[in-house]
Amino acid sequence: ADPIIKSLDMREHDDVFDQRLRLRFFTSAKYPEICLVLFGKCPKNSVDRIGTQIATLAAWETIRLIKPKIIASIGTAGGFKNKGAQIGEVYI
């Protein structure tokens, strides 16, 4: 996410989500209508949190608190590889 954060001149806000969720929220100074939510790191193993459970929780909290017009879930296609998905492909 770093290239997106840098290119859109994004700043992190730590007062949006409950801190226990470890979700990270960024807004763009360049494009105020664009924001970014990252899933944070696992407190036990210090690795990026991935998967459907944290994606669902992040989407729920984003919809509840931010009320966006559009949500784009951007990540890897590893979970759908057995269905023919390829990393680098765009699915809508």
Side-chain angles (χ1 to χ4, degrees):
D2 286 337
I4 293 170
I5 292 168
K6 288 178 185 170
S7 67
L8 297 180
D9 190 21
M10 299 189 106
R11 291 181 179 82
E12 187 168 7
H13 305 274
D14 60 5
D15 59 347
V16 176
F17 298 113
D18 185 319
Q19 294 301 304
R20 295 172 293 180
L21 298 175
R22 292 183 171 79
L23 297 173
R24 299 177 64 201
F25 181 75
F26 296 81
T27 58
S28 172
K30 239 180 184 175
Y31 306 98
E33 67 279 5
I34 297 176
C35 57
L36 174 68
V37 177
L38 300 178
F39 300 163
K41 295 203 178 276
C42 169
K44 182 178 178 183
N45 301 307
S46 289
V47 296
D48 290 332
R49 298 189 306 170
I50 60 169
T52 55
Q53 291 174 331
I54 188 61
T56 302
L57 179 61
W60 175 269
E61 286 297 286
T62 300
I63 292 166
R64 188 174 75 82
L65 297 171
I66 310 303
K67 297 173 180 42
K69 292 180 182 176
I70 297 173
I71 290 181
S73 178
I74 301 168
T76 61
F80 296 102
K81 186 175 182 181
N82 64 348
K83 304 282 189 210
Q86 298 293 318
I87 293 175
E89 292 292 321
V90 176
Y91 299 92
I92 299 177

